[in-house]
Amino acid sequence: MKPLQTYFPFGPPIGHAKLPEEMIKDLNKGCDDIVKDKELSKSEDWSPYLVGQVEQEIRIPKDILAKWGKWFGSNVQTYMSQYFNQIFVPQQTILTATKEQALRNINQMKIDVMSAWYVRSFAGDYNPTHTHTDCQLTCVGFLKVPDLKNERQKSFSPSGSLEVLSSIGVTPSVFENDRILFAPKVGSWYLFPASIRHLVYPFTCDGERRSFSINLNTDLFLRQSNTSQK
């Protein structure tokens, strides 16, 4: 008898990868170069377009994005492939295309960076619950993390953590989890749908919590729709 196969068609997928060391160095240097230049700090300021209550939010240099575009694109393709494998429940009606067609479209899809910025946070800074608009996917990568261990030893504390909230509703269920907390760690990178809510908790210790976000769009669902109509 064939064993039970468990599917997860309703939960929004969250991808995780480790940033290459060279990328971390490139991103930190790019940020430091802007911070040291008063004119660049003003011209590259991205905070008017964001909700974060933080020290500074500045755009990531285009040359760094171009250098590492293939890495991000490859991981978005992997994320999409795993998502489509997840939703192909037998006799499902979510998609009319075959799995083979969907995976072929993923390999051919176009990925566009809509915006990309650094987030520099210090003691007391936070990012309220929000979503990202006009894009399909967003991500968070950690570049610098202050020493938070003393805050966490006293009692459970989400200090400096990223929290992602599900849209499943407010009714608790033993089979559903409506939130997940990610402790910041240099090199950790998370990719998730831009439409789900997320926030960042404040911390009280000295030091900088530096992260970056990139908003992304793909033409995958347009491709999928065109394939389904053929």
Side-chain angles (χ1 to χ4, degrees):
M1 181 178 293
K2 192 173 182 179
L4 172 72
Q5 174 66 52
T6 304
Y7 302 93
F8 301 88
F10 300 117
I14 297 176
H16 172 257
K18 184 172 177 55
L19 300 172
E21 289 294 331
E22 185 181 352
M23 183 197 293
I24 296 172
K25 292 179 181 178
D26 286 348
L27 284 165
N28 274 323
K29 183 179 184 303
C31 185
D32 291 336
D33 288 345
I34 294 173
V35 171
K36 288 184 290 188
D37 189 313
K38 290 184 178 180
E39 291 301 318
L40 275 178
S41 291
K42 290 180 180 179
S43 65
E44 300 307 303
D45 181 20
W46 198 240
S47 57
Y49 306 97
L50 305 169
V51 300
Q53 305 299 305
V54 299
E55 177 76 15
Q56 193 174 38
E57 294 174 299
I58 48 183
R59 288 187 292 193
I60 298 175
K62 291 182 179 179
D63 60 327
I64 296 177
L65 294 174
K67 177 178 178 179
W68 293 102
K70 187 174 181 179
W71 186 91
F72 287 113
S74 175
N75 279 279
V76 170
Q77 284 185 325
T78 299
Y79 174 91
M80 289 293 198
S81 296
Q82 292 175 353
Y83 170 67
F84 274 83
N85 278 322
Q86 172 182 300
I87 65 174
F88 268 97
V89 182
Q91 286 77 56
Q92 56 81 32
T93 58
I94 300 173
L95 296 171
T96 56
T98 65
K99 183 185 291 189
E100 290 71 25
Q101 288 173 324
L103 295 178
R104 185 162 58 247
N105 285 343
I106 289 170
N107 290 329
Q108 298 172 350
M109 72 180 177
K110 181 182 178 182
I111 302 168
D112 293 318
V113 173
M114 310 307 292
S115 53
W117 66 97
Y118 297 103
V119 181
R120 301 185 67 225
S121 303
F122 296 86
D125 291 347
Y126 68 96
N127 215 321
T129 303
H130 64 287
T131 62
H132 293 194
T133 57
D134 300 322
C135 57
Q136 296 169 356
L137 296 169
T138 193
C139 65
V140 175
F142 295 109
L143 302 174
K144 288 186 177 182
V145 176
D147 187 355
L148 300 168
K149 64 177 181 294
N150 289 334
E151 295 184 45
R152 291 178 176 150
Q153 283 175 350
K154 297 175 184 177
S155 62
F156 170 76
S157 171
S159 297
S161 293
L162 165 70
E163 186 168 61
V164 179
L165 307 172
S166 173
S167 301
I168 60 175
V170 297
T171 303
S173 169
V174 68
F175 293 114
E176 290 181 324
N177 181 51
D178 67 346
R179 62 187 59 212
I180 185 168
L181 199 70
F182 297 106
K185 182 179 180 181
V186 173
S188 283
W189 180 73
Y190 299 96
L191 176 66
F192 50 92
S195 59
I196 62 175
R197 298 167 298 150
H198 54 286
L199 67 146
V200 175
Y201 287 93
F203 57 92
T204 61
C205 65
D206 294 332
E208 178 182 355
R209 178 193 184 279
R210 180 181 295 179
S211 63
F212 71 91
S213 288
I214 303 176
N215 286 343
L216 302 155
N217 265 347
T218 77
D219 64 347
L220 178 62
F221 296 99
L222 177 61
R223 285 176 173 273
Q224 195 64 38
S225 176
N226 292 338
T227 300
S228 301
Q229 293 171 8
K230 292 179 181 180

